[in-house]
Amino acid sequence: MGKDVIIACDFSSAKETMDFLDRFGDLKPYVKIGMELFYAEGPQIVRTLKARGHKVFLDLKLHDIPNTVGKAMSVLNGLGVDMCNVHAAGASEMMQAAAKAFAGSDTLVIAVTQLTSTSEAQLHDELLISSCMEETVRSYALNARNAGLDGVVCSPLEAAAVHETCGKDFLTVTPGVRLAGDSKGDQKRVTTPAIARELGSDYIVVGRSITGAGDPLQAYRKCMEEFIDR
């Protein structure tokens, strides 16, 4: 599985998204569609992006009882997305239902371990998880692999631990990536694209360092250079 930079298109409308992507000319970067855009525009935004030639990571982080997640994922399977996710906190049976819904398709089904906005202190004090962040992510990742998923979402800081626990072919999709000097925003566990590469990330998800840049195409190329072309 080749490495790639996925742009987080965290926009509020289809027009804003297409205006942004038009700045890339003939390039068709891999894009992530999250809750804000999907809830604003519905499934049509995915169909439009696929028709334009983009790979699409549909980032909805489904987390519900297994029956509900399985049925929802079966609906999403009809969109032909390249990657889709659930939350590993939903446990093994729920993840198995998600994997079953996409059986036979080319869609990569992955699970969120811990959000990159979650700190070690919050993990213990608010979520009441006594294990450290790395051990928690390892455990969630192993559950996801055993449930038949293709990989997990984690911080680049945990990518090596996930590969050590689950194997090199188990994907690590890592948000919390910023170009050097850019603000961390609401993220806690953050690296640059170059460091994410060194730590073993398979895909990096980059939002504001590209979407908020004065020249998004230049910022995207910089991320590609650091993560893939070095």
Side-chain angles (χ1 to χ4, degrees), residues 131-145:
S131 298
C132 70
M133 183 67 72
E134 182 178 301
E135 288 305 313
T136 300
V137 171
R138 281 180 188 265
S139 178
Y140 280 27
L142 187 58
N143 289 341
R145 191 196 70 175

Side-chain angles (χ1 to χ4, degrees), residues 161-190:
V162 169
H163 286 307
E164 182 180 289
T165 301
C166 299
K168 294 294 184 183
D169 60 341
F170 191 71
L171 298 175
T172 53
V173 181
T174 61
V177 175
R178 298 280 192 274
L179 288 169
D182 287 352
S183 170
K184 292 183 179 180
D186 54 359
Q187 306 279 14
K188 301 292 195 309
R189 307 191 323 278
V190 177

Side-chain angles (χ1 to χ4, degrees), residues 143-222:
N143 289 341
R145 191 196 70 175
N146 291 340
L149 270 57
D150 299 294
V152 292
V153 178
C154 63
S155 160
L157 300 173
E158 294 104 38
V162 169
H163 286 307
E164 182 180 289
T165 301
C166 299
K168 294 294 184 183
D169 60 341
F170 191 71
L171 298 175
T172 53
V173 181
T174 61
V177 175
R178 298 280 192 274
L179 288 169
D182 287 352
S183 170
K184 292 183 179 180
D186 54 359
Q187 306 279 14
K188 301 292 195 309
R189 307 191 323 278
V190 177
T191 71
T192 64
I195 293 174
R197 174 192 173 101
E198 292 172 5
L199 293 174
S201 297
D202 295 302
Y203 295 86
I204 58 172
V205 180
V206 184
R208 283 163 279 190
S209 276
I210 296 176
T211 59
D215 186 340
L217 178 55
Q218 182 182 27
Y220 172 70
R221 284 176 169 158
K222 176 66 173 173

Side-chain angles (χ1 to χ4, degrees), residues 84-107:
C84 195
N85 65 359
V86 297
H87 204 299
S92 296
E93 187 178 350
M94 187 206 75
M95 289 189 283
Q96 289 167 4
K100 183 178 179 180
F102 279 94
S105 78
D106 294 326
T107 301

